[in-house]
Amino acid sequence: MKKISDFKIIEKQTWLRAALLRLQCEERLPEIRGGQFVQVRIDGGQHTYLRRPISIHDVDFQNNTIDLLIQQKHEGTKILCSLPVGAMVNLVFPLGNGFTMPEQNDEILLVGGGIGIAPLLYFAKTIKSNCGNKVSFLLGGRSADDLMLLERFREVGDVFLTTNDGSLGEQGFVTQHSLWNTKKINKIYACGPMPMMKAVTKVAKDKDIWCEVSLENQMACGIGACLCCVENTTEGNLCVCKEGPVFNINRLLW
Amino acid sequence: MKKISDFKIIEKQTWLRAALLRLQCEERLPEIRGGQFVQVRIDGGQHTYLRRPISIHDVDFQNNTIDLLIQQKHEGTKILCSLPVGAMVNLVFPLGNGFTMPEQNDEILLVGGGIGIAPLLYFAKTIKSNCGNKVSFLLGGRSADDLMLLERFREVGDVFLTTNDGSLGEQGFVTQHSLWNTKKINKIYACGPMPMMKAVTKVAKDKDIWCEVSLENQMACGIGACLCCVENTTEGNLCVCKEGPVFNINRLLW
Amino acid sequence: MVNTEIKLKGLTLKNPVMTASGTFGYGEEYADFVNLAELGGIVVKGTTLHHREGNPYPRMAETPMGMLNCVGLQNKGVDYFIETIYPRIKDFDTNVIVNVSGSNIDDYVAAATKIDALENIPAIELNVSCPNVKQGGMAFGVTCSGIEQVVRAVRDAYHKHLIVKLSPNVTNIADIAMAAESAGADSVSLINTLLGMAIDAETRRPVLSMVTGGLSGACVKPVALRMVWQVAKAVKIPVIGLGGISSATDAIEFLLAGASAIEIGTANFIDPAISAKVARGIVEYCERQGVKDVNELVGGLRL
Amino acid sequence: MVNTEIKLKGLTLKNPVMTASGTFGYGEEYADFVNLAELGGIVVKGTTLHHREGNPYPRMAETPMGMLNCVGLQNKGVDYFIETIYPRIKDFDTNVIVNVSGSNIDDYVAAATKIDALENIPAIELNVSCPNVKQGGMAFGVTCSGIEQVVRAVRDAYHKHLIVKLSPNVTNIADIAMAAESAGADSVSLINTLLGMAIDAETRRPVLSMVTGGLSGACVKPVALRMVWQVAKAVKIPVIGLGGISSATDAIEFLLAGASAIEIGTANFIDPAISAKVARGIVEYCERQGVKDVNELVGGLRL
């Protein structure tokens, strides 16, 4: 069940290029799957007529809160990151299909690049509560300050890190991390910049590992009505907002 | 010398339908005449593309502050009145011609209706400091809560009041106040809603009293470029923003 | 109690509020947000005789208070609609209207003929103004002779309420509307999108895969309102107004300008519940203004 | 060091940034905010042969990211301009261009002839597209024959750089631009305002005294950019782009679409210093992108 609801910002944490907003709603939250996203209404921008899709970083059903981990990119996300505690934001949520829940015995690697790490936390928590699998995170950034909230990830699984400048974890891209040679993996879930996801897709195909990626095509409606965010797939043009954002790599023409 | 400057809201007082904002600028303020106005940039509104003209209520050259007394009418003024202390606003100022400074021996009545009381305070202060005249205010509103900051006016002159509902001062319109029969007046300065200013104009013409009124025609540029805010006068269409907002009633076709 | 019913030839709307083609899917996408029974009608997305993949991504650019799109009539074709979608939506408690597009007259006629046979589709909206596909109809929609041809051909084959959706990218939209009227249209809807363009200054490339696209959203409302006013003065058939309508106040303005009904488009993306809110807001306006019948507002502009 | 100089026939701009007629007065109104020497030129407000009072108040309506106006060419006539205003502005350290309007061809020619004699006016912008006065030129501006007539007549009488300002309220603006070119225009500027309308739902009356007015501001930028691109492909003479330009980035987009220069209009009302900021911003963009000469950007859209 999708909803439109007003949320209040009750906690906020900020970094150089990002912010974590804890949003609380007065109504009970509907069921939310890992990898789903929200469409945020942004007031005050001259170029923020449309909502902005933001992936769901964490959920607390006891307190009806949703955490959004937001990277400051353009006017919309900058305004969002600048909102004070107490401000209200309107969300349309939960949207999209989310990641596929794994099997009990799967060896799972969650790969995140940049702000693409955001949806992996809540998905990992749902894996744990649903089938109890131990998960591993492979998180990559340009430098250490792209890799936020690592303690949150460590509470849920093993965390492996790469940075392009070597300021944290192994130097290089996520696909260059040593774990690929040592670790047994039979399911990969990836979210991040297009080049990173294409690289992960290549690794998965080479190693013949099942893999899902979460796409970020530009959206207008977010619910499959406008057909703006299409990805060309084996089934033709599909709406990333509705048929995705998560796709098995076998459906993509990469 | 007109300027574009950023101001910070350093104090705020609010009423049912209005707010007083004290705006501080880092640069020194230019010369400002009573009856001049500012054009305020309003962010965050979907229907606030243009600036909003607001009359100057008071000025403090020591602290580089300008006070704006703002009535909540539409989206623009509502957003302005909702801004918190600490928020920044951008002003183009000072604009318009302002009221004509009286002679030393003039018997002056300043007539304000509704939010039209705003510019009269600063003008009265400049009269006092320039020619030392004792001024009288005749301030009218629908009810008592339209008549704000009376203590400020009483510091500068005698204050006479009318309200339509009789909740403060004499009941009725400003033109019905008893002082018109008792008081010696040879200069009237008026600002308020059009019907009130037209009524004052009629009184002034009947009694053959010199009178200036401050108009509020809808403006775009505020500096005489767009010719949108014209008033049809004895000299043809004149820009209220540049040739006004203050006009001697003899120039108007009322 | 305000009467909100609008009677068009062979098409009765419980209120003047419809949703615009391409912005409301098949209605199902909005079922979580809007009780479709509160709407006068929904115009489902552009349907063509044959399956169309539409244009490549990127298809959208955000603009000041609006957006550009070059979707290009992506749809699975009229047969798929009839077999798979129609059964799911035919019993909605509102008018389900199909927007029909084509790249030549025969295709328009063939698609319209198939939809004519669908019991629960009381009307079609003929899209002769899609700016995003070569022969996407805009070729027909910008000349009187072009629109006469396609409307007359479809009119002969289609026997229910025929709405013709007009392009705003013309010198004189009243002439185009009169041509549609003379060719047998039962009503005209306007405006379709204004042709626009967006460029990324940093990459020096067009933002849209097709370079140009259709502009919609609040930014176009003043142009749409003017065109509705011009057309309503020029034709006798009803006018359906759309273009940037985002509130009940906007909708009232279109009714006053001469529209008998309105469509809500891009605003559905900003607030998925807006269509029903507008329907309720029109009733509140009438109650506040003492208007007993919404029909009193149609063309009620005081000059 | 970036070269920003743009050479048009008989008209050299120190940079591509000009201000649009009717939004910048005679330059003097902005002297407190902008060093006019930083601009490529200023187009002063619409001048007609005879004095015009313009239309009644109200003349303006705010719209989403834009505004409507129906000023109606208020001005004191060309003789007043020559005697009273020209002496005050003729020595500005920038190109002073006069926008010339008329209600018939003889008036256009007479006004243009008088301005031709002014040493320090290197160009006129022929306004054949004012939507706010009957025969305000828009009658001429929306047909090829109309524009050919007036441009040819003025061309015979005027010997300096002749800019023809085009109306966007047409089906095919490229045809209109080619007609102006064939009639002897040295350049075309576009777009003038889109015809729009505003209604006050509460009073049920038009907001503007003339019911309709010209839409300008950021909201029209996508349409203006598209038309500049279409026209630049169709004509050989330079194109001057305007329509919602509010930043250096916007200006760059118009250059990339094919404009050799740009005009800033309604944005002057929101930030009176914007014109000079845009001129500086273009230089910063070129430095950041390693562009040695602004002329490299003209038509530099990568397809």
Side-chain angles (χ1 to χ4, degrees), chain B residues 5 17 25 50 54 66 73 124 137 173 201 215 224 235 239:
Chain B
S5 308
R17 287 185 291 264
C25 180
L50 299 168
I54 307 281
I66 292 177
K73 280 181 194 148
F137 296 99
F173 297 106
T201 298
L215 306 187
E235 302 131 76
C239 284

Side-chain angles (χ1 to χ4, degrees), chain C residues 254-272:
Chain C
F254 277 77
L255 297 178
L256 293 169
S260 300
I262 61 100
E263 294 179 11
I264 294 173
T266 305
N268 290 307
F269 304 158
I270 287 88
D271 179 358

Side-chain angles (χ1 to χ4, degrees), chain C residues 95-206:
Chain C
N95 290 293
V96 177
I97 297 167
V98 179
N99 179 281
V100 175
S101 255
S103 37
N104 62 64
I105 290 181
D106 295 346
D107 287 4
Y108 275 105
V109 171
T113 306
K114 288 168 180 272
I115 291 165
D116 199 27
L118 302 177
E119 196 180 352
N120 293 9
I121 306 293
I124 60 172
E125 180 178 61
L126 206 62
N127 180 1
V128 290
S129 45
C130 176
N132 293 328
V133 295
K134 291 175 193 49
Q135 299 111 7
M138 191 157 135
F140 294 111
V142 295
T143 66
C144 293
S145 57
I147 204 155
E148 264 164 22
Q149 277 179 53
V150 61
V151 173
R152 185 159 286 127
V154 171
R155 172 76 293 174
D156 294 341
Y158 185 75
H159 307 93
K160 300 178 188 171
H161 188 91
L162 174 59
I163 305 166
V164 177
K165 188 170 188 177
L166 305 179
S167 170
N169 302 297
V170 296
T171 304
N172 187 338
I173 195 164
D175 290 345
I176 305 285
M178 287 187 285
E181 178 179 36
S182 69
D186 295 314
S187 63
V188 287
S189 61
L190 61 137
I191 59 174
N192 205 321
T193 56
L194 281 160
L195 193 61
M197 178 174 176
I199 292 173
D200 180 329
E202 292 303 317
T203 63
R204 304 188 206 175
R205 297 187 187 283

Side-chain angles (χ1 to χ4, degrees), chain D residues 245-264:
Chain D
I245 296 175
S246 313
S247 67
T249 305
D250 292 342
I252 303 284
E253 292 167 20
F254 278 77
L255 298 178
L256 293 169
S260 299
I262 61 99
E263 294 178 11
I264 294 174

Side-chain angles (χ1 to χ4, degrees), chain C residues 63-82:
Chain C
T63 70
M65 288 304 280
M67 62 177 277
L68 290 160
N69 89 81
C70 63
V71 169
L73 297 176
Q74 176 180 334
N75 79 103
K76 291 192 157 69
V78 68
D79 292 334
Y80 179 89
F81 171 79
I82 291 169

Side-chain angles (χ1 to χ4, degrees), chain A residues 13-248:
Chain A
Q13 191 177 346
T14 56
W15 296 269
L16 184 60
R17 289 186 291 266
L20 174 72
L21 302 182
R22 174 156 294 175
L23 306 176
Q24 187 169 49
C25 182
E26 294 190 347
E27 311 142 54
R28 283 189 67 257
L29 296 178
E31 187 200 336
I32 298 175
R33 297 194 299 285
Q36 290 189 297
F37 65 94
V38 303
Q39 280 265 70
V40 189
R41 178 95 178 85
I42 293 167
D43 298 317
Q46 296 203 334
H47 304 88
T48 58
Y49 180 59
L50 300 169
R51 289 173 179 262
R52 294 293 184 271
I54 307 282
S55 63
I56 294 169
H57 177 57
D58 204 356
V59 183
D60 176 343
F61 290 93
Q62 274 60 49
N63 299 304
N64 298 324
T65 65
I66 292 177
D67 289 2
L68 301 180
L69 181 58
I70 303 158
Q71 183 177 32
Q72 289 186 29
K73 278 181 192 148
H74 304 104
E75 185 176 3
T77 46
K78 283 193 180 111
I79 291 174
L80 209 47
C81 291
S82 72
L83 291 176
V85 169
M88 302 297 294
V89 292
N90 180 273
L91 304 187
V92 176
F93 75 105
L95 302 177
N97 57 356
F99 294 105
T100 305
M101 196 54 66
E103 311 298 321
Q104 298 243 352
N105 52 358
D106 284 330
E107 300 280 350
I108 299 157
L109 183 67
L110 303 172
V111 186
I115 202 63
I117 68 175
L120 302 182
L121 180 74
Y122 176 63
F123 177 52
K125 287 186 172 183
T126 60
I127 294 173
K128 234 179 166 169
S129 51
N130 280 272
C131 25
N133 302 46
K134 179 166 171 317
V135 304
S136 300
F137 297 99
L138 172 56
L139 310 178
R142 282 167 298 177
S143 66
D145 55 13
D146 285 338
L147 298 172
M148 299 151 292
L149 300 170
L150 296 180
E151 65 289 354
R152 286 187 163 202
F153 290 91
R154 293 200 172 98
E155 286 170 15
V156 191
D158 299 335
V159 175
F160 304 88
L161 303 171
T162 65
T163 52
N164 302 357
D165 63 5
S167 55
L168 187 61
E170 296 185 17
Q171 177 154 18
F173 297 106
V174 287
T175 45
Q176 297 168 320
H177 194 282
S178 57
L179 71 72
W180 292 104
N181 311 320
T182 57
K183 198 166 180 14
K184 184 155 171 303
I185 304 161
N186 72 324
K187 272 204 168 77
I188 300 170
Y189 300 90
C191 183
M194 194 58 84
M196 167 267 194
M197 286 197 289
K198 288 191 168 168
V200 170
T201 299
K202 186 174 182 316
V203 171
K205 286 184 172 172
D206 294 347
K207 297 174 174 289
D208 193 26
I209 303 174
W210 184 98
C211 178
E212 282 185 345
V213 295
S214 179
L215 306 187
E216 288 189 321
N217 294 15
Q218 196 183 26
M219 298 175 185
C221 71
I223 60 177
C226 69
L227 310 189
C228 287
C229 63
V230 292
E231 178 71 18
N232 194 5
T233 71
T234 52
E235 303 130 77
N237 286 325
L238 295 181
C239 284
V240 167
C241 67
K242 190 182 177 190
E243 312 293 330
V246 176
F247 290 89
N248 187 294

